[in-house]
Amino acid sequence: MIRVSKRTRDVIGAIAAEDYGGVTLDEALQRLAREHWQQRAIMAMDQYREQDPARWADYLDEARDIERLDHKIAE
């Protein structure tokens, strides 16, 4: 159990109803937390790309190499 204001409860309830198809408040909070984590990960990758373009390019090259290997294995 957590304590939140009625206003916060209502905001989460509206998100649950409007954006998540009527899930429980618990599920809505879990989804919001997951989305928050994803946004932070995206921001970190954007920052990495901007601060070190050369290493970012190396990262992308390595990701492409791994992707090619995965496709060969799957065929």
Side-chain angles (χ1 to χ4, degrees):
M1 176 183 269
I2 62 171
R3 288 184 179 188
V4 297
S5 69
K6 182 180 180 320
R7 183 180 186 289
T8 299
R9 185 199 66 210
D10 292 346
V11 168
I12 300 301
I15 292 169
E18 296 168 15
D19 296 341
Y20 298 143
V23 300
T24 65
L25 297 184
D26 182 62
E27 176 65 21
L29 286 170
Q30 289 178 33
R31 289 183 186 191
L32 287 168
R34 194 168 39 249
E35 289 172 10
H36 174 73
W37 182 89
Q38 291 169 345
Q39 279 300 110
R40 289 188 62 174
I42 290 167
M43 289 171 50
M45 294 303 283
D46 288 345
Q47 184 178 22
Y48 177 57
R49 184 187 73 240
E50 292 170 10
Q51 290 180 349
D52 197 340
R55 287 185 67 195
W56 178 255
D58 290 343
Y59 167 79
L60 291 179
D61 289 340
E62 184 177 342
R64 287 183 196 104
D65 290 343
I66 291 170
E67 184 180 32
R68 281 192 289 275
L69 289 173
D70 284 345
H71 284 303
K72 288 180 183 177
I73 291 170
E75 292 174 354

